[in-house]
Amino acid sequence: MTDGRVLVTLLLALALGAGVGDTVAIAASQPEPSVPVAAASSLELRIDPLVDLYFFVRAQAADLSGAPLAGYLARALPATWPFDLDPR
Amino acid sequence: MRLAAAIEERISSFETELWPSRKVELEARLNYLEAAFVPRHREALAFMMESLGIADPHVQVPMFLVTRTNPPGAMTYYLRGDQPVAVVEVGSGEADGLLLETLLHESTHALDIASKGDDNAFDQLRARLLERGLVRSDAGFHDVPHTLMFVQAAATMRRVYDPEHVAYGDATDLYERSGAIATVENGIWPRFLNGELAREEALHQIVDALYPSSDEDPSRR
């Protein structure tokens, strides 16, 4: 597991485990009776400081791709699939 | 250890100096989406799954709103067990309709991930593309189903939220960059959604138009 994946594992474990005090979770509303068809699946919109920080760093790395730190981050943090923690 | 200390210091300053204003910005967008998007989003998901032949996987998809991220600005990942999770940049400068369509687009990725193996429209498209000789590393193997996700999300916006919605692909240069794929899919998929074609026939026509079979009657091309 790369350093980036370790970081993401930590962030997601914290964020999805609702262990972060500042996490705001808004559960999707139940469908109104007037809605004719509603999926059983739903979305849960969230904001979380750790996730915001992580992607803020990724954005900075993308902006500053010539800088040494950004170069390190670009290599250390998976470029496209950082949440793929399944070892298959 | 010095690196760890430096990171810890930066995280601390993020939480105390940067996060408060970001939290205000994100909560404003969250409140907007809670009012404008969430109440009908299950209806939108149902329409998308019905259109795309996706069996409802009964999942709740966490969708993290962030102030900034690297391009393309919205991504869907999966955790162990194919649990999808999405991240969407919600900059205040983006038009509301485009933000809603982006949420639907990422939802499509999430539903595609969660229903893998259910022979949905994307699976059928990928199978047909392989039959036509494409390999998984070909751009078309990714772009054909991915562009259809945009076309379906825009159609869902018009069907459920706003009949006058301008597609993300038209409002940006996405469809222009997609070229023939966007042109073909925008010409065929709405005919399926309007009941003029069966889904399988629409998928067949899309692949045929983009990658004609070598033994196909040339007069049909």
Side-chain angles (χ1 to χ4, degrees), chain B residues 19-37:
Chain B
W19 172 245
S21 62
R22 289 167 175 268
K23 182 182 179 186
V24 170
E25 180 182 346
L26 289 173
E27 285 182 338
R29 296 302 264 172
L30 187 61
N31 289 337
Y32 164 74
L33 291 170
E34 187 182 12
F37 176 78

Side-chain angles (χ1 to χ4, degrees), chain A residues 16 22 28-29 37 39-44 46 52-53 55-56 58 63 80-84 87-88, chain B residues 11 19 22-23 38 41-43 56 58-59 61 63 65 67-70 76-80 82 107:
Chain A
L16 293 174
D22 213 6
S29 302
V37 180
S41 294
S42 63
L43 305 178
E44 184 187 26
R46 296 186 183 186
D52 194 55
L53 169 62
F55 284 93
F56 172 68
R58 295 233 348 203
D63 289 346
T80 58
W81 212 244
F83 291 114
D84 177 7
R88 287 177 302 175
Chain B
I11 290 177
W19 172 245
R22 289 167 175 268
K23 182 182 179 186
V38 169
H41 90 284
R42 290 190 190 218
E43 183 184 349
D56 192 331
H58 292 65
V59 293
V61 181
M63 189 166 278
L65 312 180
T67 51
R68 275 215 65 199
T69 185
N70 52 292
T76 298
Y77 307 102
Y78 63 94
L79 303 171
R80 292 182 190 278
D82 286 350
S107 302

Side-chain angles (χ1 to χ4, degrees), chain B residues 143-172:
Chain B
D143 293 347
V144 172
H146 193 234
T147 304
L148 186 62
M149 291 181 182
F150 280 101
V151 173
Q152 177 65 51
T156 305
M157 277 297 299
R158 287 190 284 269
R159 184 75 63 103
V160 176
Y161 289 103
D162 176 12
E164 305 301 320
H165 173 71
V166 176
Y168 183 94
D170 286 321
T172 67

Side-chain angles (χ1 to χ4, degrees), chain B:
Chain B
M1 291 301 292
R2 280 190 299 176
L3 177 61
I7 292 174
E8 185 175 352
E9 181 182 347
R10 288 176 186 276
I11 290 177
S12 175
S13 64
F14 177 87
E15 289 184 330
T16 57
E17 297 175 14
L18 297 178
W19 172 245
S21 62
R22 289 167 175 268
K23 182 182 179 186
V24 170
E25 180 182 346
L26 289 173
E27 285 182 338
R29 296 302 264 172
L30 187 61
N31 289 337
Y32 164 74
L33 291 170
E34 187 182 12
F37 176 78
V38 169
R40 298 193 70 182
H41 90 284
R42 290 190 190 218
E43 183 184 349
L45 296 186
F47 176 63
M48 291 203 300
M49 286 189 283
E50 180 184 1
S51 302
L52 296 165
I54 294 175
D56 192 331
H58 292 65
V59 293
Q60 187 177 51
V61 181
M63 189 166 278
F64 287 93
L65 312 180
V66 298
T67 51
R68 275 215 65 199
T69 185
N70 52 292
M75 294 148 282
T76 298
Y77 307 102
Y78 63 94
L79 303 171
R80 292 182 190 278
D82 286 350
Q83 163 66 47
V85 55
V87 177
V88 179
E89 180 177 313
V90 290
S92 55
E94 186 171 50
D96 294 340
L98 299 187
L99 174 59
L100 266 60
E101 185 183 326
T102 300
L103 298 185
L104 292 178
H105 175 85
E106 296 307 320
S107 302
T108 317
H109 279 293
L111 295 169
D112 182 37
I113 291 170
S115 67
K116 192 70 77 181
D118 277 355
D119 196 30
N120 63 41
F122 304 121
D123 287 339
Q124 292 182 29
L125 261 183
R126 293 172 186 126
R128 289 171 187 270
L129 292 170
L130 291 174
E131 287 174 3
R132 292 297 163 95
L134 275 72
V135 296
R136 295 178 186 277
S137 58
D138 285 337
F141 186 78
H142 169 270
D143 293 347
V144 172
H146 193 234
T147 304
L148 186 62
M149 291 181 182
F150 280 101
V151 173
Q152 177 65 51
T156 305
M157 277 297 299
R158 287 190 284 269
R159 184 75 63 103
V160 176
Y161 289 103
D162 176 12
E164 305 301 320
H165 173 71
V166 176
Y168 183 94
D170 286 321
T172 67
D173 65 350
L174 177 77
Y175 283 161
E176 184 179 345
R177 286 189 286 114
S178 298
I181 297 175
T183 302
V184 165
E185 292 185 347
N186 275 308
I188 295 173
W189 196 248
R191 294 178 57 209
F192 154 63
L193 296 177
N194 291 333
E196 300 167 29
L197 286 176
R199 181 191 303 117
E200 287 72 19
E201 178 60 20
L203 296 173
H204 176 77
Q205 289 190 13
I206 287 170
V207 174
D208 257 3
L210 293 169
Y211 303 98
S213 172
S214 57
D215 58 2
E216 185 183 341
D217 181 353
S219 65
R220 290 188 59 201
R221 294 180 189 173

